[in-house]
Amino acid sequence: MDYLPLHFNLRAAPVLLVGGGVIAERKANLLMEAGARLTVVAPECQFELPEASGPHHWIARGFETSDVSGMRLVVAATNDLAVNQKVSIAAQAQAIPVNVVDQPDLSTVIFPAIVNRSPVLMSVGTGGGSPVLTRLLRQQLEALVPDTMVRVAKYLTSRRPRLKSFYPDIDVRRKAAETFMAGPGIGYAERDAWSVADDYLFSDLGASRGEVYLVGAGPGDPDLLTLRALQLMQKADVILYDNLVSPKILDRARRDADRVYVGKRGGLASTSQLSINEQLVLLARQGRRVVRLKGGDPFVFGRGGEELEALVKAQIPFQVVPGITAASGCAAYAGIPLTHRDYAQSVRFVTGHPKNQQVDLPWREFISEGQTLVFYMGLGGLAEICAQLIRHGKAVDTPVAVISKGTTPESVLVKGNLETTPGLVARAQLSSPTLTIVGEVINAPSAQVALQQIHD
Ligand code: SAH
């Protein structure tokens, strides 16, 4: 290890910054954010030093060796090598930590890249070797650590004194905090519900009660999972999923989580809704963290509401994580804007599931201009949907796009109009799931570049 990372307390500490250009300004902002009192030495200074965070001052001249006296930290950010060297030598002569921007050989300390979610701070460094790699790693950390961690950190900081008196034994205290972090309690801290979080932190509730996360898995492409979905999938003890959730998505879940298939195939209820609800309650009562993973968004034709009712009745804590619904995902990947100032001012999500060969819907409302219709579960009822729209007066040449397995590499798009599409789709032998979009937006220029089109 070439460097020891330390988090430096600079509150009200005198810090010397040599230089007045753009790079010096960046360092000045960072140092002021850490509460330092800045002395800037530079013949010219391009930036202001706000009084509010001060007192700071600017000395308008070149650097002199005596400037470093009494400083807690010295930073050189000039583009003059001789000046930088002089600053470095002067600081080191007095054993003051010194950083020369982009010159690790002249520095005794290096600014790491930081992820700042105060009070959570993470620093990444490559010993000054590769600032680009450092920044890349920082970005990955940013994506990995949820913003909600800040709230948890604030909550736990505020509860420190009470934790100490409640659990005087340090081992018991650590165990209690670990149980809290692994259980539902942390979810309440993330949502700033401090008093409910207290119920978990200051009792053994956390260990005995599970929680259910109703999570939207998006339309197929695993990269369309939300960060929140990934975080909860990483925390899960057990995952209940159905057939819209692909193996590639399940791959992203915690390795030792149990995976339970509760799908419904071909309209046949292989697992009844009642039994899914019962399983959710049962598993949570066993103290397990259950992810109920659903295709798309759990609240769009997902029966998420019904599953929550069962949880509410059984007083099981739950969280809902939205997902990208099939309409958004399929349309985006096909370049079809669901609304567009020139073609459609509203969009309607409709279930096209036929009951007794009939699709019973308010057809008259569907024929008015300026709207996009998106039919979910529509393949079985496609011919009927097109016929009904024509019968109720929608123009025969209204464009229709049918997308199979949207957002996945197997995605196929069939494009036609109300008259031609059913035949084209039958010939293309599309596999489910498929989504049908009806409306002028399909003619938008961006949609012309969609892959694998079959034209009429
Ligand atoms: N909750 C889901 C919808 C569940 S209903 C969501 O928000 O997307 C199931 C229907 O969604 C399917 O019959 C199909 O119409 C549509 N669907 C889901 N994923 C799809 C995909 N990748 N491509 C096309 N249609 C899809």
Side-chain angles (χ1 to χ4, degrees), residues 266-286:
L268 288 173
S270 38
T271 309
S272 77
Q273 191 64 47
L274 190 65
S275 121
I276 296 176
N277 298 355
E278 278 166 2
Q279 281 190 64
L280 291 175
V281 171
L282 207 74
L283 288 164
R285 286 218 171 113
Q286 291 167 356

Side-chain angles (χ1 to χ4, degrees), residues 46-231:
Q46 291 184 2
F47 51 90
E48 303 263 318
L49 292 167
E51 269 316 301
S53 61
H56 310 290
H57 54 278
W58 168 38
I59 303 173
R61 58 160 170 74
F63 171 73
E64 289 169 12
T65 303
S66 61
D67 291 338
V68 302
S69 296
M71 295 296 166
R72 191 84 61 80
L73 172 70
V74 171
V75 179
T78 79
N79 49 13
D80 184 326
L81 182 61
V83 174
N84 286 347
Q85 267 168 342
K86 202 171 146 191
V87 175
S88 173
I89 291 164
Q92 289 192 57
Q94 296 198 30
I96 301 169
V98 58
N99 174 267
V100 179
V101 175
D102 273 345
Q103 282 187 275
D105 50 319
L106 294 181
S107 306
T108 61
V109 292
I110 288 177
F111 281 87
I114 56 173
V115 178
N116 181 6
R117 309 260 174 81
S118 278
V120 180
L121 274 179
M122 281 171 292
S123 51
V124 190
T126 48
S130 171
V132 176
L133 178 60
T134 308
R135 267 200 299 277
L136 193 82
L137 288 169
R138 190 195 64 123
Q139 278 166 12
Q140 291 178 351
L141 273 180
E142 290 264 13
L144 252 175
V145 179
D147 222 9
T148 46
M149 221 25 112
V150 177
R151 296 187 188 169
V152 177
K154 282 189 180 144
Y155 168 74
L156 287 175
T157 308
S158 81
R159 292 307 189 256
R160 240 177 102 101
R162 190 169 155 203
L163 261 178
K164 275 193 174 159
S165 56
F166 198 87
Y167 303 106
D169 183 291
I170 181 165
D171 288 331
V172 177
R173 187 158 71 234
R174 189 186 318 124
K175 187 89 194 20
E178 279 171 5
T179 307
F180 174 80
M181 299 290 273
I186 189 175
Y188 291 98
E190 284 171 345
R191 284 172 275 164
D192 277 344
W194 286 18
S195 64
V196 192
D198 285 348
D199 291 344
Y200 288 90
L201 189 56
F202 300 107
S203 74
D204 55 4
L205 255 187
S208 64
R209 233 164 72 176
E211 189 174 27
V212 175
Y213 312 118
L214 183 58
V215 178
D221 182 349
D223 283 352
L224 291 181
L225 281 166
T226 63
L227 287 175
R228 184 89 190 123
L230 269 182
Q231 286 150 10

Side-chain angles (χ1 to χ4, degrees), residues 7-31:
H7 289 200
F8 202 168
N9 184 347
L10 283 178
R11 245 168 237 273
V15 172
L16 175 69
L17 175 63
V18 183
V22 190
I23 293 168
E25 180 176 7
R26 256 181 247 147
K27 291 291 179 249
N29 289 337
L30 196 62
L31 292 163

Side-chain angles (χ1 to χ4, degrees), residues 391-412:
R391 192 169 313 142
H392 285 83
K394 196 115 180 136
V396 170
D397 61 358
T398 307
V400 180
V402 178
I403 298 155
S404 155
K405 297 192 168 180
T407 77
T408 73
E410 299 89 51
S411 169
V412 178

